[in-house]
Amino acid sequence: MGAGLVTVLGFLVRRLAQAALVSFAVVTVTFVLLHLAPGEPLATFAESPYASPEVVAQMRRNFGLDQPLLVQYGRYLANITRGDWGMSFAQHRPVLAAFRDTVGNTAVLALAALLLDFGLGIAAGVMQASRPRSVTDRILSGISLVFYSVPVFWLGLMLLLLLGEALHWFPVGGVVDPVLYPSLSPAAQLVDRLRHLALPALTLALVGAGATARYQRAALLDAMRQEFVRTAKARGLSERAVVWRHGLRNALLPTITLVGLSLPALLSGVVLVETVFSWPGMGRLTVSAITQRDYPVVMGAALLAAFSVVLANAAADIAYRFADPRTREAR
Amino acid sequence: MRSLSRLILAVSVVAISGCRDAATPCIGTCGTAVVVGPEPDILFPAATRQDAGTAVSDLVFLKLADMSPSLNTAGDTGFAPGLATSWTRESPTSVRFHLDRRARWHDGRPVTASDVTFTFDVYRDTLVNSGARPLLREISDVTAPDSLTAVFRFGTVYSEQVFDAVNHMRILPRHLLDTIPRKDLATHAFGRQPVGSGPFRFVRWVPGQYVELAADTGFFLGRPGLARVIWQVGADPAAMITQLVAGEADLMPTLGVPENVARVRQAPHLRVIESAPPFYNYIGFNLREAGNRSRPHPLFADRDVRRAISMAVDRAAVVAAVLGPEARVGSGPLAHTLWIYSDSVRALPFDTAEARRLLNARGWTARDGDGVLLRGGRRLEFELLVPVVSQPRRRAAVIVQEQLRRVGIAMRISELDFNLFVSRGPEGRFDAIFGAWSQDPSPRSIEQSWGTAGIGGSNWGGYSSPAFDRLARAAINASDLAVARRYWREAVAQINADAPAIWMYSIRPLAGVHRRFQNAAIRPDLLAALLWTWRVDPDSLLPRDRVIAP
Amino acid sequence: MTAGAATAALVAFAARLWTAPRARLGLLLVALLVLAAAAAPWLAPYDPSAQLDLATLQLAPPSTAHPLGTDLFSRDVLSRLLHGARISLSIAVLAVLVAVTVGTAVGLAAGYGGPVLDAVLMRVVDSGLAIPRVFLLLMVLALWERSTSLTLILVLGLTSWFPTSRLARAEALSVRRRDYVVAARALGLPSWRILLRHVLPNIAPALLVSAALGVGQIVLVEAGLSFLGVGVQPPTASWGNMIADGQTHLLAAPWLAAAPGLALVLTVIAFSVLADGLQDALNPRSS
């Protein structure tokens, strides 16, 4: 048992160290990009009408731009770790403060989308795998192919047009009703939030579910061919029971990893969906920062997104490790 | 005083005078006005550089005095009392303001003259870098002999001294701000939780969504007619008009394109009101090299090239396609409502044959693979800056681009964030810029924007013509209106011949507002100026009007 | 597998490709698309930027003269769609070429070049995969302001090579230890020769699958960037910026946004089917 604990701890440490290493690499990549870009790094900041010469000079000193490259790199690393991600010139406040207001909204959207995505995707995948090559299978395959191929922003626009503007079933933008929300009862507030969340989350979920269903179907069919499934069938269990009890449980394991793997695509989609639905999250903030030449915000957003992905992948790997019966039994 | 066009907050119409004393006080809940616009950058008056920020700040903060309905800027009278009840001229270079002893900050403390001196200090501080700083340069200092008196002293004698003293600064609370280091003032949390002395007090700002203000029921100039104002953030004009038509918003200050105006006219619960003084839009050429004033522009220093490009643009087609009947084709650096306007002065005609002939004559004869004219291996191409936030200008630019392409001119369109756009202009960092000037009641602004003295100020393109300067000066100095009119006509004819810009169109901006508001009027220069006198018809209350203000 | 055996495998692969039904369908669809895109200047009834008649033809609904209607500037939507196909497809194909080239090179170097190089390169790949694509692209496009087609191709390609490098690396690692490779090295053959003759033929089919999928994905990414305004700049028609233009008139003229969107869906489906077909040919075991 003691040996088991040591190996588990060892795995944890290694996995987290790997995450830290990748994070370090991400920060380095952004630093390199910033310095590869044409012109002096702060030239574009200085262009902003909000930056007075004194403020720009202060930033120059902070970033040590008069110092050799290595010193600059060190300062940059130190700043990022300390939580000083620079100043948003368009909003007159630190980048992290601007993120604090928007991260929550993006997190809510991403979470809702993930839940819907995996709910729909796994259900579809199971349905397909339990009747391979049937009509249901072919139809669902076709549907998931279509949703996998749809541009997420276009799907959002079509849903907005149909369900929002034409049928008025859902509001056309925002997180809550700005005027009525504070005076609603808690239950009504929840309903209001859900109504505003529905379309953007559904858009992201449908596109993601297309990929999830394909993956889940393949994983499940694979699992069905495994030894233990055949043993179960030999024991006389019905097809259904086999799928549900043995195949699914084992096929769900890779799904944990899929959560981590699908996060980058999800976050990419979030940028577009937030723009279409005026959802005040990190994505919309980044897009407006681009037009405003507010580079600290753009870079900070990329960093934050990357850190989330790294964290999610590490969490998924650790969860997988604990959930996989094979690894457990091998100890 | 001419001011930069507000694309988002255009405003207009006469104030209904009796509103000042808020004759019919509101009893109980009085209504909520939801204004839809872009998100404010910050609610610190000295730092905000954007119309949305100014509009919301103006509801929370108060000036010493405000403009009267006539929008007069000259002289000592003709201003409505604000934080100052009266002012007296002590000498040709100093004015004494008497503050209203009833004025209070929203936290209860009285407004005193030391707030005024502090405010002046902040506005002039380079670390704060206020956009209004250049406008205050004629004021040499502000002193406070006692707690209710502020004395402004000026460097020179000129007729707009009182205007400069009262109109640019929103008074800030010294007791809340003077301990903050100046370099942090513009980014301090105060800008997101402001405390002012105006008719509305700040309640909350949910970033990306809305800013909520509640009426200050004890406002010393009279109780506001509305209980709440909510400034709702609209991501873009399409989202804004959707919200307005759906009834989720009450006021959209600038409707922009004609289909929005049409939608508002068709909606039974909305109506169209004039929201701003007319302004004229133009495509200005930079006669100096972009970013380097000492050298002439390789293309546009040539008068004939400018004339040719002007003649290649069919402005009537652009106006008809983009703006509809609300706009007029431009005929000079002025709007059609200006009193000196006359049909007899015309801009260059649409004549592609003549345009081609002129370009050929100037050496642009060869063509490259794309059909673009060449001279000495150099393509006839340039970049036009357009602000993202103006839908009409963006569309007009696309049409102009195609019209120029047919003649062999390649124009690139760069759509810029508005703040970037207005910083490039004065710095001369552009080839051509699609600008707009709000039309002042006085034609003096033409000289400011296009005369030699305006270079470094409002004359972004660097146009300098001694003939034009002479004629404009003569017009300004003329005592007889008929003589002035004649000189102005000649001055405009001169500038049209030199074609430093293509005069695209002039338009009276329109706003869409919900019908249930009474006194729904917008003062030409400032959206917020009259908003506090709006009231909701008690027979048409909506659910949001009944919400108790916090 | 020796070089000879590798070539034989390639031939077998090509034969399977032709007989597999999905592959044939995919090839057909893609060929149709490419043909339509390449022939756009001749197929399109009008010049895509020509504003035909601002007075009467703004936002005209579909008709015989304009099968997909006209947009706000009285430009024929069908012509813009065809030219947009050309732009979007050529950007995607060229970007995929860049991505596959860079990815293969990096992957082979990592797998073949020793543990240190491997560790460094793979951390770069990990970090590239960690930053969500749109954020990475927005960051790069923001820092390099000018957005020409060339920058777009380079930027899209240079942000899409990470999965390919993993593929190439895996193959290079396994090949490294094989007998004939050890022999070749002992003989003094240069590494690049070995990689070229032994590794590349083995991974070529997998690269093809990856490339086919990649084209579909990059078409979507480019459309998204153009939709946001940082991809292909107007007036050049790209399916993405056509959808953005159509957004303002969603209720009044839904065909403006619907047509390019459908075109995108069909394109991605075509390349996905092709990729699936290539995958079938690669692994004859039925799915």
Side-chain angles (χ1 to χ4, degrees):
Chain A
M1 179 54 190
L5 194 59
V6 165
T7 41
V8 163
L9 277 177
F11 166 77
L12 273 174
V13 167
R14 262 180 293 126
R15 191 60 187 82
L16 289 173
Q18 193 190 356
L21 209 59
V22 177
S23 306
F24 174 75
V26 166
V27 176
T28 311
V29 163
T30 52
F31 178 80
V32 167
L33 279 175
L34 180 60
H35 281 264
L36 277 181
E40 201 198 76
L42 278 189
T44 38
F45 300 170
E47 204 190 78
S48 164
Y50 304 102
S52 68
E54 288 81 5
V55 174
V56 175
Q58 185 67 37
M59 280 210 79
R60 277 214 172 86
R61 279 191 295 276
N62 273 352
F63 278 97
L65 285 180
D66 41 351
Q67 310 275 14
L69 211 60
L70 221 56
V71 175
Q72 287 188 45
Y73 178 51
R75 287 254 181 102
Y76 185 70
L77 270 180
N79 282 344
I80 301 283
T81 339
R82 247 185 332 165
D84 176 6
W85 287 25
M87 189 71 87
S88 159
F89 282 115
Q91 291 196 31
H92 301 260
R93 55 184 182 150
V95 167
L96 280 184
F99 287 174
R100 219 176 294 135
D101 290 328
T102 49
V103 147
N105 292 323
T106 300
V108 165
L109 180 59
L111 203 63
L114 263 177
L115 285 172
L116 272 177
D117 174 347
F118 279 82
L120 287 170
I122 293 177
V126 165
M127 271 204 285
Q128 289 185 269
S130 50
R131 311 177 191 100
R133 281 181 295 281
S134 67
V135 172
T136 323
D137 184 18
R138 287 192 205 282
I139 293 180
L140 282 175
S141 273
I143 295 180
S144 56
L145 177 62
V146 169
F147 277 120
Y148 177 73
S149 315
V150 143
V152 68
F153 59 94
W154 185 77
L155 182 63
L157 275 179
M158 295 294 114
L159 286 177
L160 183 69
L161 171 65
L162 278 167
L163 301 176
E165 292 201 16
L167 291 172
H168 296 292
W169 286 355
F170 296 97
V172 297
V175 179
V176 292
D177 186 313
V179 189
L180 291 177
Y181 184 80
S183 49
L184 292 174
S185 69
Q189 282 186 342
L190 184 63
V191 169
D192 189 39
R193 276 191 186 273
L194 287 176
R195 281 188 78 225
H196 280 85
L197 183 60
L199 285 184
L202 189 65
T203 309
L204 284 167
L206 283 173
V207 174
T212 310
R214 277 154 74 97
Y215 183 88
Q216 196 58 44
R217 176 183 181 279
L220 200 52
L221 284 177
D222 237 16
M224 301 271 279
R225 280 185 220 114
Q226 299 278 326
E227 278 293 338
F228 59 90
V229 172
R230 281 195 269 175
T231 339
K233 275 170 126 170
R235 272 200 267 141
L237 284 171
S238 73
E239 182 88 25
R240 266 281 191 78
V242 168
V243 169
W244 280 99
R245 232 186 283 162
H246 295 279
L248 191 59
R249 210 165 354 126
N250 284 284
L252 276 181
L253 279 177
T255 310
I256 301 176
T257 334
L258 189 61
V259 173
L261 288 177
S262 59
L263 198 59
L266 184 70
L267 288 178
S268 287
V270 158
V271 174
L272 295 161
V273 165
E274 284 186 6
T275 307
V276 169
F277 290 98
S278 308
W279 188 265
M282 296 277 307
R284 205 181 71 165
L285 178 67
T286 314
V287 173
S288 58
I290 287 235
T291 26
Q292 292 167 323
R293 304 289 198 275
D294 195 1
Y295 301 124
V297 170
V298 180
M299 290 182 56
L303 280 176
L304 192 62
F307 291 159
S308 321
V309 172
V310 168
L311 212 65
N313 274 316
D317 278 352
I318 293 174
Y320 187 98
R321 169 76 167 67
F322 284 110
D324 191 348
R326 279 170 288 185
T327 47
R328 262 186 283 139
E329 282 160 21
R331 292 290 162 248
Chain B
M1 173 87 169
R2 166 211 50 67
S3 52
L4 255 190
S5 147
R6 325 290 173 106
L7 309 160
I8 303 142
L9 303 182
V11 182
S12 128
V13 178
V14 196
I16 298 173
S17 45
C19 280
R20 257 301 143 104
D21 25 22
T24 329
C26 259
I27 305 168
T29 58
C30 300
T32 300
V34 179
V35 186
V36 64
E39 179 157 34
D41 54 349
I42 195 166
L43 298 179
F44 187 62
T48 177
R49 288 206 174 233
Q50 179 225 48
D51 287 336
T54 310
V56 183
S57 306
D58 274 347
L59 291 167
V60 176
F61 293 90
L62 209 56
K63 301 191 275 197
L64 279 178
D66 206 354
M67 294 219 275
S68 67
S70 63
L71 294 185
N72 167 60
T73 57
D76 294 350
T77 56
F79 296 96
L83 282 174
T85 58
S86 62
W87 46 94
T88 48
R89 173 167 290 285
E90 295 187 321
S91 79
T93 53
S94 73
V95 181
R96 175 181 287 259
F97 289 86
H98 307 278
L99 300 184
D100 198 319
R101 61 182 61 250
R102 303 171 296 169
R104 294 267 174 286
W105 295 108
H106 293 145
D107 62 1
R109 300 268 284 267
V111 177
T112 64
S114 65
D115 292 317
V116 179
T117 56
F118 172 75
T119 304
F120 179 68
D121 214 25
V122 166
Y123 266 84
R124 290 247 292 206
D125 198 323
T126 51
L127 286 177
V128 173
N129 200 31
S130 169
R133 201 174 82 224
L135 300 171
L136 299 168
R137 61 171 176 264
E138 298 294 348
I139 305 175
S140 34
D141 66 47
V142 177
T143 51
D146 64 59
S147 72
L148 287 178
T149 314
V151 178
F152 280 69
R153 276 204 286 268
F154 301 86
T156 58
V157 179
Y158 64 107
S159 62
E160 291 179 341
Q161 283 177 349
V162 174
F163 175 74
D164 277 349
V166 306
N167 197 59
H168 310 302
M169 296 190 291
R170 280 71 177 164
I171 306 302
L172 305 167
R174 171 190 283 266
H175 64 284
L176 293 174
L177 295 174
D178 62 355
T179 50
I180 303 170
R182 286 298 161 78
K183 65 174 173 61
D184 296 333
L185 252 190
T187 54
H188 194 262
F190 178 83
R192 303 189 79 86
Q193 284 180 292
V195 172
S197 54
F200 291 92
R201 94 194 129 67
F202 174 85
V203 175
R204 70 172 68 92
W205 181 348
V206 180
Q209 296 182 55
Y210 62 92
V211 180
E212 182 177 344
L213 306 174
D216 178 15
T217 50
F219 184 52
F220 68 100
L221 288 175
R223 185 171 172 154
L226 296 169
R228 294 192 307 169
V229 172
I230 296 188
W231 184 275
Q232 193 165 316
V233 176
D236 52 51
M240 291 190 229
I241 188 70
T242 308
Q243 288 175 10
L244 182 69
V245 171
E248 294 176 21
D250 293 320
L251 171 65
M252 181 169 163
T254 307
L255 291 173
V257 288
E259 65 246 28
N260 290 353
V261 177
R263 282 179 78 177
V264 171
R265 288 198 202 275
Q266 283 164 5
H269 60 287
L270 298 174
R271 70 191 161 90
V272 171
I273 58 176
E274 288 174 334
S275 67
F279 57 91
Y280 65 92
N281 279 4
Y282 63 95
I283 293 180
F285 301 111
N286 195 352
L287 275 63
R288 307 281 163 91
E289 190 176 278
N292 185 353
R293 284 251 161 78
S294 56
R295 299 223 300 247
H297 195 279
L299 283 177
F300 300 138
D302 186 335
R303 182 176 179 266
D304 280 342
V305 170
R306 300 197 304 266
R307 287 170 62 93
I309 298 178
S310 302
M311 287 194 268
V313 174
D314 183 357
R315 293 164 300 133
V318 172
V319 169
V322 173
L323 294 154
E326 315 278 359
R328 297 267 215 107
V329 176
S331 58
L334 70 172
H336 56 276
T337 53
L338 191 59
W339 61 272
I340 60 165
Y341 176 85
S342 134
D343 279 333
S344 61
V345 179
R346 299 182 163 281
L348 292 169
F350 171 53
D351 189 343
T352 48
E354 177 66 11
R356 287 198 184 96
R357 194 196 63 77
L358 266 176
L359 289 172
N360 274 351
R362 301 303 295 163
W364 297 93
T365 43
R367 286 192 184 239
D368 74 356
D370 298 322
V372 178
L373 286 168
L374 294 170
R375 181 177 77 177
R378 195 212 162 93
R379 282 162 56 111
L380 184 45
E381 69 176 340
F382 63 95
E383 181 192 40
L384 175 70
L385 299 186
V386 181
V388 158
V389 78
S390 170
Q391 258 183 320
R393 277 188 249 182
R394 284 163 64 201
R395 292 184 186 177
V398 175
I399 300 178
V400 171
Q401 184 182 46
E402 172 64 10
Q403 290 175 347
L404 291 180
R405 192 182 72 106
R406 293 187 196 147
V407 177
I409 303 169
M411 182 179 86
R412 257 185 351 261
I413 302 175
S414 273
E415 294 183 358
L416 292 185
D417 172 63
F418 184 62
N419 296 293
L420 215 54
F421 178 83
V422 298
S423 74
R424 290 261 184 105
E427 292 170 19
R429 285 172 33 228
F430 62 93
D431 282 336
I433 193 163
F434 205 152
W437 287 130
S438 188
Q439 183 59 68
D440 265 16
S442 158
R444 245 176 320 139
S445 51
I446 305 181
E447 191 199 35
Q448 274 173 326
S449 309
W450 303 99
T452 310
I455 297 180
S458 318
N459 186 344
W460 293 351
Y463 169 66
S464 175
S465 156
F468 172 76
D469 290 337
R470 207 175 9 92
L471 288 164
R473 232 347 63 207
I476 293 173
N477 291 335
S479 45
D480 181 76
L481 266 175
V483 173
R485 213 191 274 267
R486 205 180 63 231
Y487 275 126
W488 276 122
R489 229 194 342 263
E490 289 177 44
V492 172
Q494 173 68 47
I495 199 175
N496 282 352
D498 288 336
I502 308 176
W503 316 112
M504 291 301 296
Y505 55 88
S506 67
I507 189 167
R508 192 92 201 237
L510 297 170
V513 70
H514 199 280
R515 279 185 188 273
R516 75 183 194 284
F517 289 99
Q518 301 166 336
N519 294 347
I522 304 180
R523 206 177 75 193
D525 63 311
L526 213 52
L527 176 69
L530 298 177
L531 200 57
W532 70 290
T533 62
W534 290 25
R535 290 200 311 274
V536 177
D537 181 1
D539 299 326
S540 338
L541 291 180
L542 289 182
R544 58 173 169 265
D545 294 322
R546 300 179 203 276
V547 174
I548 310 284
Chain C
M1 215 186 272
T2 62
T7 333
L10 264 176
V11 172
F13 172 72
R16 281 199 299 273
L17 199 64
W18 190 242
T19 50
R22 276 208 293 192
R24 264 215 300 252
L25 180 64
L27 276 173
L28 192 68
L29 288 172
V30 169
L32 272 172
L33 266 170
V34 169
L35 224 62
W42 297 279
L43 278 177
Y46 302 92
D47 180 332
S49 339
Q51 296 169 5
L52 299 166
D53 188 345
L54 283 172
T56 55
L57 269 184
Q58 279 183 299
L59 296 177
S63 62
T64 31
H66 302 277
L68 287 176
T70 61
D71 69 359
L72 182 65
F73 299 107
S74 67
R75 296 179 295 205
D76 180 47
V77 174
L78 178 62
S79 311
R80 286 177 71 74
L81 199 70
L82 287 170
H83 280 262
R86 227 172 169 216
I87 299 277
S88 298
L89 276 178
S90 44
I91 289 181
V93 167
L94 289 172
V96 163
L97 273 172
V98 171
V100 168
T101 312
V102 174
T104 313
V106 170
L108 290 180
Y112 200 76
V116 171
L117 191 61
D118 185 13
V120 169
L121 285 175
M122 279 304 108
R123 289 297 84 74
V124 174
V125 169
D126 282 339
S127 56
L129 283 171
I131 310 179
R133 232 208 232 161
V134 172
F135 284 98
L136 182 59
L137 284 164
L138 286 179
M139 186 167 61
V140 172
L141 286 170
L143 290 172
W144 274 265
E145 278 184 41
R146 186 66 78 219
S147 184
T148 62
S149 287
L150 188 62
T151 22
L152 212 51
I153 292 171
L154 280 174
V155 163
L156 283 168
L158 291 173
T159 49
S160 317
W161 56 266
F162 309 111
T164 318
S165 69
R166 283 248 173 99
L167 223 95
R169 173 180 176 270
E171 190 64 31
L173 275 177
S174 81
V175 155
R176 212 165 168 232
R177 281 175 251 122
R178 304 261 174 84
D179 291 336
Y180 58 93
V181 171
V182 175
R185 278 165 84 179
L187 279 174
L189 280 175
S191 307
W192 62 268
R193 202 74 170 291
I194 300 175
L195 290 170
L196 211 59
R197 294 193 67 203
H198 297 286
V199 181
L200 267 184
N202 284 340
I203 55 173
L207 283 182
L208 266 177
V209 177
S210 177
L213 272 176
V215 173
Q217 279 176 4
I218 293 192
V219 164
L220 283 180
V221 173
E222 178 267 312
L225 290 178
S226 303
F227 174 75
L228 290 176
V230 296
V232 176
Q233 300 294 316
T236 315
S238 144
W239 289 339
N241 63 32
M242 286 175 74
I243 297 180
D245 284 342
Q247 191 185 5
T248 17
H249 309 278
L250 214 49
L251 264 180
W255 58 87
L256 286 182
L262 284 172
L264 275 167
V265 175
L266 289 171
T267 305
V268 180
I269 289 181
F271 279 97
S272 295
V273 172
L274 178 64
D276 279 345
L278 287 170
Q279 187 76 37
D280 286 347
L282 196 57
N283 304 322
R285 179 192 78 188
S286 57
S287 59

